[in-house]
Amino acid sequence: MKKTLIAAAAVTLAFGTLVSTSAHADEWPTRPLTMVIGFNPGGSTDIQGRVLANVMEEYLGQPVNVVNQPGAGSAVAFTRLANNRDQGYTFLFGGTTALTFTPIISDVAYEIDDFEYLAAVAIGQNAIVTSSEQPFNSFDEIIEYGKENPMTYAQQTALDEAIIRAIAEEEGLDLAIVPTGGGGGMAPLVLGKEVDFAYSGGTHAQYTPGGEMIVAAFMSAERSPFYPDVPTLMELGYDYSIEDYRTIIVPNGIPDEAKDRLIAAAEYASTHEQFIRTTEGNTFFPVVFIPQQEMESSVRRIRAATEEVMGD
Amino acid sequence: MDFSIVGSAIGEALTLDSFIGIGGGVLLGYIIGVIPGLSRSVAIAIAIPLTFYMSPYIAISFLIGLSKGTAAGSAVSAILLNAPGEASSAATCLDGYPMAKNGRPKTALKIGLLASVLGDILATIILIFVAIPFARVALLFGPYEMAAILAFALVFIAGLSSGSLFKGLAACGLGILLGTVGLDSQTGMPRMTFGYTELMDGFPLIAVAIGTLALSEMFLQAERLRTERHNMSVKINDNPDDRLSWPEFRRTIPTIMRGTGVGTFVGALPGLGPSVASFMSYGMAKRASKTPERFGKGAPEGIAASESADNAVIPAALIPLFGLGIPGNVSAALLVGAFAIHGITVGPLLLREQPELLYSIFAGMIVASILMLILGWFGLKLFAQITRVPPHVVIPIVIFFCIAGMLLQGYGGFGLIILLAFAVLGYLMKKFDYSFVTFLVAFIITPMLELNLRQSIILSRGDPMILLERPIAVFFIVCTILALIALAVRTVKVRKPVAEAPAD
Amino acid sequence: MARHSFWSGLVVIVIALLALNWIIPGYAGSNPFAQIPPDLVPRLASWLMLICGLCIVTGAVYDMVRQRIPLFNSNIDWPALAWASWPFAYVALATWVLVYVKITYVGPLIIALLLYLLGERRWYILVGCSIVPVAMLYVLSVYMMRVGVV
């Protein structure tokens, strides 16, 4: 099913380029745009980004080309974007973690103030998952079980590790934390019951419909509409959250006209049926529209909160 | 096995898109295979960027079709030019070229093609029937088993490398060292990246592969142009003797069966590769023959033995890949990279998560074999013409595609510099006889091995007794130790012949 | 052969020593809490290279002494060496150019010039072989992959 959709998307994309409309000839943009994606083709950001490019192209009347610049969870792409002087013709679509978290732990050549956050169109997913064959199936039960037994947890980033480590200390758990090679490496560990619970940044969407994996809690600030019964860590009384927004990001100093047009295109996409179908239906990311002002403050607030967690 | 999934998978393999994708792959592979010096891994490394916009199933089938095509195509230049398209067809030269010289080039080509296709289809069927049960067992494997198997594969590959043992191990060490560059999986801190953000995910596999395999090979060929300029391709005439008769072909069938068996066995073991298989099969055919004196003078069995084994290796090498997620040779390692680009983690979980994808790939592989037969049979004369393309025309075009492939990846100028650096490294390794295959496989396996080792140590909380519950892991640990002992014994023994080798 | 082994083994030793004394301590990082710290695997690999390099050099010295091969080759084939190294220089130059100009624009020139240097003089081959691959790249990048002109 997923495959056919991707194939269909690829075909639509190929034809989309051939049929470029020329309705807004006098308005910005006057030449093709480039959307940068900081991950390899095939991941959730790439799938969403390619559809978004397609929809934005429809609105802006110029082709929106998609370029993958993978590496270090988008840090490579942000490094290049910070030095980009393309007057808004090059923008990035992706999560904000590379800005709110990566600069804290590693030495990267960009900072949060190098960019403007035009609009968020989807909310990132950060879940704590476990296998349905385990003797527990909610976060409280995990904690209860952990007070009696030694537990294991599979991390994916230093951030989720820090949060879980803090919770384990509060609750007095005997917890061993193992590294995984991302979502693909996490799934076999959870399904094979090698670890008791794990972090998932979206991979769970493949396994929860079949009932093999269950989401115990969300690390995000709000519940997911696709798992309405699953509480967030905040609701459970732990003062931690990982927030991540799939945002359209440009380097500082681009003309206002370009910004306005890009924001308008993003708003158009957030109500577009094709984008919603792919983002919500395939990847289980809720589609939203968060305007620039709110995003600018959100990104800085998340960064401050993350620094606090990592400072422990 | 759910038959509706199988049905829809086969349906997908029979669509027009998939025919175009697979057929394109086989055709491109055939052409690249015919050109001497462009090997299977070179073809895959250059073609990976082509698959970016394809759906995962088509992309993988395209690449597998490509590798099958190269195996069949390399026989053409072996027979007509006496220069194998790649090393694995070197054994085909022994009888193919004499047969072509004797005025029967078409017969030789057809025997080679039929042996290739038969070996291919049979090995693909074996793959399907072995990989699925294998993957079911492997689903129970955790980090302990994976770490043990990866360690075994690494030692095994290092030990089997051609040439000097110490040079092979040194290449292995360099592969491990470079494989650890990038973010440390546990702390998330950069390791040996020298402050370059681009290196945080390690050296990009595509740059390493295209550099050490394709670009360095072009430099070697350009160097060779200084002394060798002209090729002597045997012309295909319409000779009435030059027809393959059924009785003649029938006599080669037992040889093909044996060759397929050898190829499948060798292919499924990590690190051995198609050259070993084809020479082993050739040797066995000669020993089993009642008229061994005919070998080397144009015996059809010689061609059949080498080609069937060569082609059987390709599907067989996918057994550890689909079953365990471990690449057994360089082409399989490149396929891992291709899968990753399409967001798929190859391994036993594939059977569980995306069975239809796996079945589609299997169906696509059978389609590829059939298309290979059709293309090879009717394109015989056309492919024979390609052997006349001089290398000095091939080299600039391949260099261009190496660079373009890297740029398509989006790494920019930095990627090109890494590409060139690895091309120089690959060139020097080939020149000084350091096994670049060992280097590449070590480079690819190291991150997996380190991660699984870490997971095992953390999960066991440092208690080795946990291994008592893990008989499979123990088995592979014992195998690794035995392989290490065998290596040590070989080291002591091998010293002598090397000392008596002639000077350069 | 033995001389080849000697010098290449020496290079292996140098790389291993560089890694052990400079790269790993300076850039591999550390994690005192981990059972496998980040620098363990690189260190093991470097030691493997060091030991192998020593074995290669020792073996080569043994062979060279027995067969009386001098350490340096007195008659290096300079023209051959020059011929072997110019393609590297060419690609390095092309890399430098490609940092500033897109490959779709200079690609034909890069191919044609290399063809010419390799001895091709027929104009139709020069033109055909340089235009067709670039046209294929253009179709692939602009229409199929949608990454724009690379």
Side-chain angles (χ1 to χ4, degrees), chain A residues 1-304:
Chain A
M1 189 55 206
K2 195 172 140 209
K3 237 170 20 215
T4 19
L5 273 175
I6 295 172
V11 171
T12 357
L13 291 172
F15 280 104
T17 329
L18 299 170
V19 197
S20 67
T21 46
S22 53
H24 315 272
D26 49 337
E27 267 186 294
W28 192 93
T30 51
R31 57 184 172 91
L33 295 98
T34 302
M35 173 192 281
V36 176
I37 288 177
F39 295 94
N40 269 319
S44 67
T45 315
D46 182 70
I47 295 171
Q48 293 161 7
R50 280 177 192 269
V51 181
L52 181 65
N54 210 21
V55 175
M56 287 176 77
E57 174 173 319
E58 203 178 295
Y59 184 84
L60 295 168
Q62 285 284 348
V64 179
N65 295 314
V66 177
V67 175
N68 296 85
Q69 286 177 355
S74 293
V76 174
F78 275 108
T79 309
R80 293 237 192 92
L81 189 72
N83 301 314
N84 184 288
R85 295 284 165 268
D86 208 8
Q87 300 297 311
Y89 281 95
T90 300
F91 60 94
L92 184 141
F93 172 72
T96 46
T97 324
L99 292 153
T100 56
F101 170 62
T102 314
I104 303 174
I105 58 155
S106 56
D107 194 18
V108 290
Y110 59 84
E111 248 315 323
I112 209 157
D113 295 325
D114 294 338
F115 307 102
E116 290 194 60
Y117 309 90
L118 296 187
V121 291
I123 302 180
Q125 298 297 293
N126 302 285
I128 295 170
V129 296
T130 181
S131 162
S132 52
E133 293 168 18
Q134 296 279 11
F136 34 76
N137 47 33
S138 74
F139 196 71
D140 284 334
E141 286 175 35
I142 292 176
I143 299 292
E144 283 309 310
Y145 186 83
K147 284 179 177 162
E148 312 290 320
N149 306 288
M151 298 280 270
T152 48
Y153 170 79
Q155 56 100 283
Q156 279 182 42
T157 64
L159 178 58
D160 71 86
E161 174 171 347
I163 292 178
I164 291 293
R165 204 179 277 286
I167 292 178
E169 256 169 49
E170 277 173 36
E171 300 286 354
L173 306 187
D174 175 13
L175 189 68
I177 299 181
V178 289
T180 61
M186 174 277 290
L189 290 178
V190 170
L191 298 178
K193 295 202 281 179
E194 299 287 349
V195 297
D196 295 311
F197 62 117
Y199 167 82
S200 165
T203 319
H204 55 275
Q206 288 177 36
Y207 299 96
T208 48
E212 297 163 284
M213 210 182 259
I214 47 176
V215 181
F218 275 100
M219 288 183 161
S220 321
E222 282 170 28
R223 290 190 181 203
S224 159
F226 305 105
Y227 306 92
D229 303 330
V230 178
T232 64
L233 284 185
M234 302 282 252
E235 289 171 352
L236 290 169
Y238 305 102
D239 197 15
Y240 304 104
S241 70
I242 303 179
E243 283 179 73
D244 176 32
Y245 297 93
R246 295 284 156 95
T247 315
I248 291 174
I249 300 168
V250 291
N252 272 338
I254 72 163
D256 283 343
E257 190 200 3
K259 274 193 270 183
D260 294 341
R261 291 282 292 158
L262 283 173
I263 292 170
E267 188 161 14
Y268 172 76
S270 68
T271 58
H272 194 283
E273 190 249 332
Q274 194 191 350
F275 180 65
I276 295 175
R277 198 176 57 214
T278 308
T279 310
E280 300 202 327
N282 281 10
T283 56
F284 286 17
F285 278 55
V287 172
V288 290
F289 177 75
I290 302 174
Q292 186 181 4
Q293 260 185 329
E294 200 180 326
M295 271 317 294
E296 297 279 350
S297 59
S298 292
V299 170
R300 286 171 180 81
R301 174 177 54 77
I302 300 168
R303 170 66 178 269

Side-chain angles (χ1 to χ4, degrees), chain B residues 392-409:
Chain B
H392 77 266
V393 173
V394 174
I395 293 167
I397 295 176
V398 173
I399 289 181
F400 168 78
F401 278 116
C402 290
I403 297 174
M406 204 54 226
L407 287 169
L408 282 175
Q409 286 266 311

